[in-house]
Amino acid sequence: MNDSSRKISSGQPLADLRVVDLSRLVSGNMLTHVLADLGAAVVKVEPPRKGDELRAWQRGGMSTYWLAYSRNKDSVELNLRTEGGMEDLRKLLAGADILVENFRPGTLEKMGLDRTTLQAIRPGLVVVRISGWGQTGQYAGKGGFGSLIEAMSGFAAMNGYSDRPPVLPPFAMADSVAGIYGAALALAAVHRRNAQSNAPLQEIDLSLFEPLFSILGPQAAEFQLTRKTTPRSGSRSPTHAPRNVYRTKDEKWVALSAGMEGTLARLFDGVGYPEGLQDPRFATHEARLANIDALDDIIQGHLAKLTLDEALEFFASRDITAGPVCDIEDLIDHPYVVERELLVEQQAPDGRTVLVHAAPYRIDGERPPIRRCAPTLGQDNERWLNSRPDMAT
């Protein structure tokens, strides 16, 4: 364990953990973001002058992604193309628990940091190697940006509407899913290392493709059984009905999921069609899926007469699972978000203050704090490079 003088509390359970992050953009930053919020000392190693490319993702002249996902981290500016920079990196690694990188496979070895060397530098080091397609196989050397993975994984093919092109997600989905998986894997490896003496280096091969592929459901099994792919069906579900978004009288939208028969009976009664479950078109799960257009027409016809607030009251009074479709303008002052304290103010390096998401969980009733805002490039060089790594505080 490192930095043993750091306080381990319910809000910072990883305060004795040190992470060296060589990654760039979203996947690695998401992984170390999770660990940093939990108290780990995350040292971001960035190239001179420009730093992590995530800094370039700006709105209104502010590096908003960097601000959100690099809080609670330190920044060290190193030129890893020089021997001096590599020597400094090796010193950092000598006191590290986890190394995170997302170079193309083979790059770490070209840098002189192969498995044997890393084990000699830091016995028991956990190395998380993120790449688009994995460290082995015919795609190992292929570029792996998230959009390619979101397309090839099957996600885009099942997202959108059948009469329109497949739809990619409007955010870095593949990178984010891989990063969250990676945080769990890294901690599992540290747990395993701590449970044994003379633990060897552990290397985690984490592709962007496989985590996203894993969360899309039993696609392979269903195709084997039916020889049919999941169709693009908009907001509808291939597994149950009704499930969709519906327009209200005031041009707002409400989302509804009412696949259970008890819920559906209350819905039919509310829309003035109490005999709905006796209608052969809607009497069974399979029948409802086959006649989804007619079912949606009944629901939409009723909701078109109600405002959003009236629709939400209609559903709440009947214990039907439904809710509004919100954008961020709706959410900033939403009572749920305010009460749960999901947004917190954070100061940017230029002095401006903006809202960012809080840690998305509570431990013993408290959210881990934002201990410091996202660092400027090289802000922590003096702390980490002018002292022995095993003695840094």
Side-chain angles (χ1 to χ4, degrees), residues 168-280:
L168 295 171
F171 69 103
M173 175 185 281
D175 291 75
S176 299
V177 172
I180 295 169
Y181 255 98
L185 289 164
L187 293 179
V190 170
H191 177 74
R192 179 186 182 192
R193 182 199 69 191
N194 292 343
Q196 54 185 307
S197 58
N198 301 317
L201 177 143
Q202 296 176 76
E203 186 175 275
I204 297 170
D205 178 358
L206 179 64
S207 74
L208 300 186
F209 184 95
E210 292 162 78
L212 183 58
F213 184 69
S214 77
I215 70 168
L216 296 182
Q219 298 284 304
E222 291 183 352
F223 180 75
Q224 275 188 308
L225 295 169
T226 67
R227 307 311 294 178
K228 295 179 181 179
T229 60
T230 301
R232 293 195 295 281
S233 55
S235 296
R236 289 173 173 172
S237 169
T239 61
H240 65 276
R243 191 257 203 182
N244 209 340
V245 294
Y246 305 89
R247 191 191 298 268
T248 59
K249 184 172 70 173
D250 52 351
E251 300 298 309
K252 301 292 183 63
W253 294 89
V254 63
L256 166 70
S257 181
M260 298 177 65
E261 288 201 356
T263 305
L264 192 55
R266 296 192 295 275
L267 176 62
F268 276 133
D269 186 64
V271 301
Y273 191 50
E275 65 273 24
L277 284 178
Q278 283 70 56
D279 186 326

Side-chain angles (χ1 to χ4, degrees), residues 37-333:
D37 271 3
L38 287 167
V42 174
V43 184
K44 280 287 303 180
V45 176
E46 303 186 73
R49 293 178 294 281
K50 69 174 184 178
D52 191 323
E53 286 92 335
L54 196 65
R55 292 179 181 272
W57 292 16
Q58 298 188 359
R59 290 290 186 275
M62 185 181 295
S63 299
T64 50
Y65 275 80
W66 178 257
L67 192 72
Y69 294 112
S70 291
R71 68 195 191 199
N72 293 331
K73 300 179 186 179
D74 291 357
S75 171
V76 166
E77 187 179 16
L78 283 182
N79 186 352
L80 299 183
R81 297 182 182 275
T82 67
E83 180 51 41
M86 287 302 299
E87 178 61 26
D88 283 334
L89 175 60
R90 287 189 284 269
K91 290 177 181 177
L92 285 174
L93 292 174
D97 299 286
I98 299 169
L99 168 64
V100 179
E101 59 99 348
N102 66 347
F103 303 126
R104 285 202 182 191
T107 300
L108 206 61
E109 288 77 5
K110 292 177 182 177
M111 293 168 63
L113 296 175
D114 57 81
R115 184 185 184 98
T116 301
T117 301
L118 287 171
Q119 172 68 10
I121 293 172
R122 176 61 165 104
L125 183 67
V126 173
V127 184
V128 183
R129 309 192 68 173
I130 308 171
S131 62
W133 311 96
Q135 299 294 313
T136 62
Q138 60 180 310
Y139 274 25
K142 179 181 174 69
F145 286 106
S147 56
L148 305 182
I149 276 75
E150 290 146 7
M152 188 171 162
S153 64
F155 172 80
M158 62 191 290
N159 191 41
Y161 292 87
S162 59
D163 59 345
R164 303 175 207 175
V167 178
L168 295 171
F171 69 103
M173 175 185 281
D175 291 75
S176 299
V177 172
I180 295 169
Y181 255 98
L185 289 164
L187 293 179
V190 170
H191 177 74
R192 179 186 182 192
R193 182 199 69 191
N194 292 343
Q196 54 185 307
S197 58
N198 301 317
L201 177 143
Q202 296 176 76
E203 186 175 275
I204 297 170
D205 178 358
L206 179 64
S207 74
L208 300 186
F209 184 95
E210 292 162 78
L212 183 58
F213 184 69
S214 77
I215 70 168
L216 296 182
Q219 298 284 304
E222 291 183 352
F223 180 75
Q224 275 188 308
L225 295 169
T226 67
R227 307 311 294 178
K228 295 179 181 179
T229 60
T230 301
R232 293 195 295 281
S233 55
S235 296
R236 289 173 173 172
S237 169
T239 61
H240 65 276
R243 191 257 203 182
N244 209 340
V245 294
Y246 305 89
R247 191 191 298 268
T248 59
K249 184 172 70 173
D250 52 351
E251 300 298 309
K252 301 292 183 63
W253 294 89
V254 63
L256 166 70
S257 181
M260 298 177 65
E261 288 201 356
T263 305
L264 192 55
R266 296 192 295 275
L267 176 62
F268 276 133
D269 186 64
V271 301
Y273 191 50
E275 65 273 24
L277 284 178
Q278 283 70 56
D279 186 326
R281 298 174 300 168
F282 313 132
T284 67
H285 174 80
E286 292 78 8
R288 291 190 288 275
L289 286 172
N291 294 282
I292 184 59
D293 287 338
L295 181 55
D296 270 350
D297 285 345
I298 292 172
I299 298 168
Q300 180 59 72
H302 183 77
L303 293 176
K305 304 171 186 175
L306 307 177
T307 66
L308 177 61
D309 287 343
E310 291 169 342
L312 295 177
E313 175 57 31
F314 167 82
F315 290 126
S317 65
R318 291 166 177 80
D319 192 23
I320 296 170
T321 48
V325 175
C326 297
D327 60 23
I328 191 58
E329 184 177 3
D330 301 316
L331 291 172
I332 280 183
D333 296 315

Side-chain angles (χ1 to χ4, degrees), residues 330-343 362 367:
D330 301 316
L331 291 172
I332 280 183
D333 296 315
H334 194 285
Y336 172 78
V337 173
V338 172
E339 183 181 26
R340 291 282 295 177
E341 300 178 323
L342 298 182
L343 291 171
R362 295 186 182 189
R367 297 187 190 278

